Amino acid sequence: MSRVELSAIALALGAAVAWGTWGFLSDRAALRTAPLTLWVTVVLVEAIAVAPVALVIRPAFSWLAIAAGLAGAIGYALFFLALRRGSNAAPLIAITALYPAITLVLQLWATKTQIQSRQVIGLALAIIAIACIAL
């Protein structure tokens, strides 16, 4: 494995730790905060955190980037509403971990490519793993 691939894996593991921590902290916050207040707070903090970077790189916004941001914001809102109604974050986070399957289906639909057998196996295993955690 190349150094670049190893660094990508390390960054992905860091993201997993950050998102796992985010899930834990969101669960704790949802006990004391209304879902929409939690959603607004998280999104605002993220915007404030990214603002200095935006000033440096001066991003060019595309409609796809805006749509991705909107989809992410809607996902946050729905997740925080789910946290408020559920009793434990772990199964809810496991269920939201189905998003790579949604991504794959959308990619297959948009690019008209065929799904590979290893992808079908991976999806099945992911669904089984998520069901074991969530149910």
Side-chain angles (χ1 to χ4, degrees):
M1 199 172 297
S2 76
R3 208 173 255 253
V4 171
E5 290 170 334
L6 287 174
S7 69
I9 289 170
L11 290 167
L13 287 172
V17 169
W19 287 335
T21 303
W22 167 86
F24 171 77
L25 294 174
S26 294
D27 182 44
R28 302 291 82 185
L31 296 173
R32 297 171 189 84
T33 308
L36 295 179
T37 300
L38 180 56
W39 175 52
V40 169
T41 303
V42 168
V43 172
L44 282 175
V45 168
E46 289 175 342
I48 291 166
V50 80
V53 176
L55 292 173
V56 171
I57 66 169
R58 298 174 193 244
F61 296 102
S62 70
W63 72 270
L64 286 173
I66 293 168
L70 183 59
I74 290 168
Y76 268 142
L78 294 172
F79 177 72
F80 292 141
L81 288 166
L83 276 182
R84 186 57 160 218
R85 293 189 179 163
S87 60
N88 186 347
L92 299 174
I93 290 171
I95 291 166
T96 64
L98 282 170
Y99 79 86
I102 305 299
T103 300
L104 177 63
V105 168
L106 289 171
Q107 285 179 327
L108 294 171
W109 171 76
T111 62
K112 308 291 187 231
T113 58
Q114 296 291 322
I115 191 167
Q116 298 177 8
S117 59
R118 68 179 170 79
Q119 291 170 316
V120 172
I121 293 167
L123 284 172
L125 290 173
I127 291 168
I128 290 168
I130 289 165
C132 287
I133 293 169
L135 302 177

